[in-house]
Amino acid sequence: MLRYIYADQLDRHPKLAASMFKDRADQFKTRLGWEVTVDDTGFERDEYDAMNPLYVIWEMPDGTHGGSMRFLPTTERTMVNDHFTQLMGGGTVTSPLIWECTRFCLNREAPSRVAAALMLAGGEIMNGFGVKHFVGVFDARMVRIYRMIGSSPEVLGSEGTGRDQISVGLWEFTPQAQAKIAARAGVSLELSRLWFDRAFGRVENRQLARAG
């Protein structure tokens, strides 16, 4: 199932949180060889995890992490504006209608539909919070995954070539894309919305959830 959890709520879900940070270490440090920080507990965390981001997490039947993404409004500090402006010719992305998505992570044993389910959750965030686009940095290996899911971004800028290429992308979410991604995820649109509403309540309560 999909869960929407702010960083300051992770202590209510210790098993899920611990397995997420360990899977991030496995993916980004062990498998991809990124220069990320892994602490003595085996957790991969960075400065943006301390900014109370919103995590979307696929919870496996045993209560552990299957996949996740991290979101921050671009009106706050973001990774793309702090470290990757060179990919956009020195420009920045700052708008209340654009949120940054980072740390797209999948457990090694996660079913293939988990990636699509996470994208479906991104669409719920857009619809529920009035967000028009997501921005994020991605590498060459993700191009195939996004295409397979049916959620390819508009590329704002890139550097490098081949497998070493990294890019900044901008995503939108149309009703047509939502239906396609839901089918890929094996999750009905009704169930997807139910999971979102369980986290945030109805429309009038969602801004209160962010403030809390």
Side-chain angles (χ1 to χ4, degrees):
M1 68 175 292
L2 286 167
R3 289 191 176 274
Y4 301 81
I5 305 173
Y6 284 105
D8 62 4
Q9 301 168 333
L10 285 176
D11 59 353
R12 305 176 196 173
H13 310 273
K15 184 176 183 179
L16 187 61
S19 55
M20 176 179 70
F21 291 123
K22 288 182 178 179
D23 280 346
R24 278 174 38 173
D26 179 52
Q27 176 169 310
F28 300 123
K29 182 76 170 183
T30 305
R31 288 187 274 163
L32 296 178
W34 289 7
E35 294 183 3
V36 296
T37 300
V38 177
D39 65 21
D40 292 340
T41 63
F43 291 4
E44 187 280 309
R45 287 185 284 200
D46 65 15
E47 60 195 295
Y48 303 98
D49 291 303
M51 295 177 62
N52 201 31
L54 173 62
Y55 300 97
V56 171
I57 307 174
W58 180 267
E59 183 177 5
M60 301 286 273
D62 65 355
T64 61
H65 169 266
S68 57
M69 301 187 296
R70 180 180 69 187
F71 294 91
L72 280 169
T74 59
T75 50
E76 302 178 13
R77 283 186 52 223
T78 58
M79 184 181 293
V80 69
N81 288 336
D82 288 348
H83 301 288
F84 293 99
T85 57
Q86 78 278 8
L87 300 182
M88 301 179 291
T92 61
V93 177
T94 305
S95 168
L97 302 179
I98 303 175
W99 285 15
E100 181 186 59
C101 176
T102 56
R103 288 303 194 261
F104 184 97
C105 177
L106 296 172
N107 176 280
R108 287 181 185 241
E109 306 300 324
S112 59
R113 68 190 188 97
V114 171
L118 293 174
M119 290 295 184
L120 185 63
E124 295 291 359
I125 290 173
M126 283 187 173
N127 293 334
F129 286 96
V131 177
K132 299 301 182 185
H133 294 91
F134 294 136
V135 65
V137 177
F138 63 96
D139 59 21
R141 73 185 176 89
M142 293 300 299
V143 173
R144 180 186 61 83
I145 295 174
Y146 294 145
R147 187 181 300 120
M148 177 184 67
I149 296 170
S151 184
S152 296
E154 173 190 351
V155 177
L156 302 182
S158 302
E159 70 177 16
T161 58
R163 296 181 64 180
D164 295 325
Q165 185 177 69
I166 59 172
S167 306
V168 172
L170 195 68
W171 283 260
E172 62 178 358
F173 201 73
T174 65
Q176 294 79 10
Q178 183 181 37
K180 182 178 179 180
I181 293 170
R184 187 87 188 182
V187 175
S188 71
L189 295 178
E190 293 77 15
L191 181 58
S192 176
R193 177 47 54 97
L194 175 64
W195 286 335
F196 184 86
D197 286 343
R198 280 180 176 174
F200 299 111
R202 297 298 177 180
V203 173
E204 62 270 16
N205 295 327
R206 286 173 192 157
Q207 291 304 321
L208 292 177
R210 175 64 189 175

